[in-house]
Each structure stands twice: as structure tokens, then as C-alpha cells.
């Protein structure tokens, strides 16, 4: 039972580069989301999805895009990386919008 | 806006010591409250929750009571173990959905043998 799988675990980008953080879950969860974790600030919601084909913005969406073409996958795209996007990124999913969240192990991103 | 405030860490305890991690909240309505735990190298996982005032959540020896009068949800454990070393996050949601969840900054606990 893999749960929520995030790749890569670590990534270093130069300012202006683009990349996609991958997230996949095998629990048939409808709800998926992306958070960033910064020191002293807890987790902040970037984007979320309540089902395939449906996405919406969270608290800090600027500079990020998402899509949800399948139930299993919810990739996060950085369009033009900036040093302010240096952070640890977590993908999470839940059976329904009010069910407990299941988190991946995170991606540590550094933008130089 | 709605938020939670946790005691700053890090917290270092000896094995079998008593643990308290303070959490207070600010909310316009009646939130559900959660404690999540993040073990080294892993993602967060739900530890316990309480959905209404005076509810007590418990799991793995940890407890927290939803105190509406003091807007608090402090995490306690009577005797910590080395395996409890982790980062603990307090969180709330007003029930709209997980997209509404607000997390505290986290408190790092280290338990020494």
C-alpha cells in the first residue's frame, strides 16, 4: 500500500527554470492538495482538487499551476522558479473533503 | 482570520517525562481541532482530533481536550518515549472542508534516553 507518493525528494533549480512536482495516490481519494512548509509558518495551502477535472486556489497560489486529469495524479507546476519558492512541498489526499488527510513524504526544493 | 498558535520549540525531554505542547486558536465559528505528527523523513499523519467543545481526542497515549472557554487544545502525554520524537502540528478547520484547514507552525519534540 503505497499511499501518497511524491517525486522527486530533492530538487535544485535556478531562478527562471520551470519544473513539475509529481504526486500520485493509490487510495482512490477524491480530494487532493498541495501545501508548502516554511520555517515558523506551518503548512500553507497552494492548490486543491475535489475530483478529476476540478481544481481551485488555496492561500498561496501565485507562481504555481495544477491540473487533475485523473483521480490518482495531481502534479504541481512551477512556471518560473523564484528564490521565494524555496520550501518543502507536501501533497495530501483524503477520501472526502472532511476526511483525515494523508500526506506524502515531501519534496525539498531549493531555488538559487 | 482563523488561525492556531503553538508553543515554540524545540522541546527536549527525557524518556518517561510528562509532555505538554500548548495550542490556542482563533476562529469566527466553531472549529474542529486536530493534532498531526510528522516523524523524521515522513509526511504528516493525523494523531487525534476533536470536533466540539469538551471533546477529548486520544491516540497512542496522547490526549487533547477541546476547551472553548480558553480556546485551547493542548497536547499531553504522561510518559514520552524516544519514538515520540517528531514535529507536532496543531490545526483547525471550520468544517467547510480540508481546503479550509489552518496549521500551526509546528513544535519539534526530541526525547532523549
Amino acid at each position: 500500500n503505497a499511499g501518497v507518493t511524491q517525486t522527486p525528494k530533492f530538487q535544485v533549480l535556478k531562478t527562471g527554470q520551470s519544473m513539475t512536482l509529481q504526486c500520485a495516490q493509490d487510495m482512490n481519494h477524491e480530494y487532493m492538495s498541495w501545501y508548502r512548509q516554511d520555517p515558523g509558518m506551518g503548512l500553507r495551502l497552494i492548490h486543491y482538487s475535489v475530483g478529476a477535472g476540478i481544481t481551485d486556489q488555496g492561500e498561496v497560489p501565485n507562481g504555481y499551476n495544477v491540473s487533475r486529469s485523473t483521480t490518482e495524479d495531481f502534479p504541481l507546476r512551477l512556471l518560473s522558479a523564484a528564490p521565494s519558492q524555496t520550501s518543502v512541498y507536501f501533497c495530501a489526499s483524503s477520501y472526502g473533503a472532511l476526511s483525515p488527510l494523508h500526506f506524502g513524504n515531501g519534496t525539498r526544493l531549493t531555488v538559487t | 482570520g482563523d488561525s492556531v498558535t503553538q508553543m515554540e520549540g524545540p522541546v527536549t525531554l527525557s524518556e518517561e517525562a510528562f509532555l505538554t505542547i500548548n495550542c490556542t486558536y482563533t476562529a469566527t465559528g466553531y472549529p474542529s481541532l486536530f493534532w498531526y505528527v510528522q516523524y523524521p523523513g515522513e509526511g504528516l499523519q493525523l494523531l487525534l482530533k476533536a470536533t466540539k467543545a469538551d471533546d477529548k481526542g486520544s491516540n497512542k497515549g496522547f490526549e487533547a481536550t477541546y476547551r472553548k472557554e480558553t480556546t485551547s487544545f493542548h497536547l499531553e502525554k504522561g510518559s514520552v518515549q524516544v519514538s515520540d520524537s517528531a514535529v507536532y502540528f496543531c490545526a483547525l478547520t471550520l468544517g467547510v472542508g480540508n481546503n479550509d484547514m489552518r496549521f500551526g507552525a509546528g513544535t519539534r519534540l526530541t526525547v532523549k534516553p
Side-chain angles (χ1 to χ4, degrees):
Chain A
N1 186 4
V4 179
T5 303
Q6 289 184 236
T7 55
K9 290 186 178 181
F10 302 94
Q11 183 70 50
V12 179
L13 292 178
K14 295 187 186 305
T15 298
Q17 288 184 316
S18 63
M19 78 159 295
T20 299
L21 279 63
Q22 301 293 343
C23 175
Q25 53 89 10
D26 62 357
M27 298 173 283
N28 202 31
H29 285 173
E30 289 294 327
Y31 181 89
M32 296 186 74
S33 55
W34 277 101
Y35 290 88
R36 59 178 290 172
Q37 182 183 24
D38 299 296
M41 299 187 72
L43 278 74
R44 292 181 293 168
L45 183 65
I46 304 172
H47 285 285
Y48 67 97
S49 169
V50 297
I54 305 169
T55 63
D56 208 343
Q57 297 181 350
E59 184 183 358
V60 288
N62 292 342
Y64 308 94
N65 272 0
V66 292
S67 60
R68 185 94 180 271
S69 57
T70 67
T71 299
E72 295 77 20
D73 299 300
F74 191 46
L76 178 72
R77 297 182 185 84
L78 279 70
L79 308 174
S80 177
S84 60
Q85 294 179 304
T86 293
S87 187
V88 179
Y89 291 84
F90 286 99
C91 180
S93 71
S94 63
Y95 180 72
L98 293 175
S99 302
L101 287 166
H102 296 255
F103 283 82
N105 287 355
T107 296
R108 184 174 294 276
L109 174 68
T110 302
V111 182
T112 61
Chain B
D2 306 320
S3 64
V4 293
T5 302
Q6 292 181 235
M7 65 183 288
E8 291 190 16
V11 175
T12 302
L13 296 173
S14 298
E15 209 165 20
E16 299 184 2
F18 185 87
L19 168 70
T20 300
I21 300 178
N22 290 339
C23 172
T24 57
Y25 68 88
T26 302
T28 52
Y30 300 97
S32 294
L33 301 172
F34 305 81
W35 278 101
Y36 278 82
V37 58
Q38 182 182 25
Y39 297 105
E42 299 182 8
L44 283 72
Q45 55 186 275
L46 180 65
L47 180 60
L48 55 84
K49 69 176 184 180
T51 56
K52 62 183 188 297
D54 299 326
D55 270 1
K56 177 184 286 188
S58 62
N59 187 23
K60 300 181 180 180
F62 290 88
E63 293 183 340
T65 301
Y66 188 143
R67 301 286 189 198
K68 182 182 173 185
E69 62 275 12
T70 55
T71 62
S72 65
F73 193 54
H74 304 322
L75 183 67
E76 297 181 334
K77 187 175 185 182
S79 177
V80 294
Q81 306 300 312
V82 172
S83 57
D84 294 326
S85 298
V87 182
Y88 293 82
F89 292 88
C90 187
L92 70 78
T93 177
L94 282 172
V96 174
N98 285 329
N99 57 293
D100 188 46
M101 188 163 297
R102 296 288 183 263
F103 288 87
T107 302
R108 181 176 299 278
L109 169 67
T110 300
V111 180
K112 296 188 173 180

